[in-house]
Amino acid sequence: MITEITSLSQPGVEVFGNLTEAQLRNKLEPEKGVFIAESPKVIHVALDAGYEPIALLCERKHIEGDAADIIRRCGDIPIYTGERTLLASLTGYALTRGVLCAMRRPLPKTINEVCADARRIVVIDGVVDTTNIGAIFRSAAALGMDAVLLTPNSCDPLNRRAVRVSMGSVFLVPWTWIDTPLGYLRELGFRTAAMALSDDSIPIDDPSLMSEPKLAIIMGTEGDGLPCQTIADADYVVRIPMMHGVDSLNVAAAAAVAFWQLK
């Protein structure tokens, strides 16, 4: 059913405008959680991965254009439409390619489920920037990481901007949350490699890293890096050799280098 939006208080559209990311996530009742996928390409990736659509918001001109295939795939869900300026007033931002899809958030997987048969995984520890999270997931998918684990103080991968920056890669790589990375990963047979600058670090092309049958690459925050205890407890401390006096890379760029080298 297609509904023309004439007011920002139109019933049913609050999921696209009034709810905060925390409300969408709904930690108290995970089965009621929702996330927003933005742009036709990202929405198609989510649908291909089996995610359940619950409502669609698109500019009127896209109903028979960019959104046509999505509407056909989504079946009998509410479809809200209107002029570009009104929709931007509702969402607070201009719609990328004019289409948003509210989708059911899946229940979190267990660490054992995510890491089953995995040989190379990444642990994201305290990274809060949505752009970096999206970029890390895109590199993880493209460069052969088997799974992603995130500490609770990291950004939600299903944040709207993180999803868009990842170009839907958050739907392609198994992921979940982890409270105590190092101890639990050792129980699963992983050796851990903390990406950090320290006196005892080894270069990322060290042969011992490639010889590990199961390796977890731990990436830290954009500013302070990994906690000192995490670095101390890791099996390896790993650096990417720098030139021209540059001391480090952005976490997303460093992740791409690490994934390529260690996959």
Side-chain angles (χ1 to χ4, degrees):
M1 179 179 68
I2 299 177
T3 300
E4 182 81 18
I5 298 175
T6 57
S7 167
L8 299 183
S9 59
Q10 185 105 12
V13 301
E14 58 276 355
V15 68
F16 295 105
N18 298 334
L19 300 183
T20 65
E21 288 288 346
Q23 289 170 322
L24 289 171
R25 187 170 168 184
N26 200 346
K27 290 184 179 179
L28 295 178
E29 298 180 274
E31 70 280 0
K32 296 182 180 180
V34 175
F35 69 92
I36 304 297
E38 180 182 4
S39 88
K41 181 175 181 178
V42 171
I43 295 168
H44 278 300
V45 174
L47 293 173
D48 290 343
Y51 284 76
E52 177 190 355
I54 57 177
L56 199 67
L57 179 74
C58 64
E59 294 176 36
R60 187 184 299 111
K61 67 179 182 179
H62 290 301
I63 290 179
E64 296 182 358
D66 285 347
D69 287 343
I70 296 171
I71 292 172
R72 183 170 60 253
R73 293 188 65 182
C74 287
D76 188 21
I77 65 170
I79 301 167
Y80 302 99
T81 188
E83 294 295 341
R84 181 179 180 84
T85 54
L86 180 63
L87 299 188
S89 297
L90 170 67
T91 61
Y93 50 88
L95 277 63
T96 302
R97 298 284 299 278
V99 188
L100 294 179
C101 187
M103 310 192 88
R104 185 71 62 201
R105 180 182 287 269
L107 293 175
K109 295 181 179 180
T110 67
I111 298 170
N112 290 55
E113 288 174 329
V114 167
C115 293
D117 302 320
R119 295 185 61 254
R120 292 292 185 268
I121 66 173
V122 56
V123 178
I124 300 175
D125 189 335
V127 176
V128 298
D129 183 84
T130 55
T131 299
N132 283 335
I133 288 290
I136 292 171
F137 264 86
R138 189 171 185 181
S139 293
L143 300 176
M145 291 297 103
D146 299 315
V148 179
L149 304 178
L150 303 98
T151 58
N153 59 336
S154 295
C155 169
D156 176 20
L158 293 183
N159 169 281
R160 176 189 63 83
R161 181 165 176 77
V163 170
R164 181 164 66 84
V165 171
S166 81
M167 293 301 293
S169 295
V170 296
F171 309 129
L172 304 178
V173 183
W175 65 270
T176 195
W177 304 98
I178 185 169
D179 289 312
T180 54
L182 299 189
Y184 197 89
L185 290 176
R186 285 201 179 97
E187 292 179 14
L188 296 179
F190 285 93
R191 300 270 279 174
T192 54
M195 300 297 299
L197 299 174
S198 68
D199 293 338
D200 61 346
S201 63
I202 62 174
I204 197 167
D205 58 354
D206 190 294
S208 60
L209 294 170
M210 288 299 296
S211 68
E212 290 291 351
K214 299 177 73 172
L215 188 67
I217 306 164
I218 308 176
M219 311 297 303
T221 64
E222 297 86 347
D224 298 330
L226 290 169
C228 293
Q229 194 60 53
T230 299
I231 296 173
D233 291 344
D235 297 304
Y236 300 99
V237 183
V238 182
R239 70 180 184 277
I240 299 171
M242 299 282 117
M243 300 178 68
H244 297 293
V246 177
D247 60 355
S248 64
L249 296 173
N250 164 275
V251 64
V257 174
F259 300 164
W260 170 254
Q261 177 63 38
L262 301 176
K263 62 180 172 46

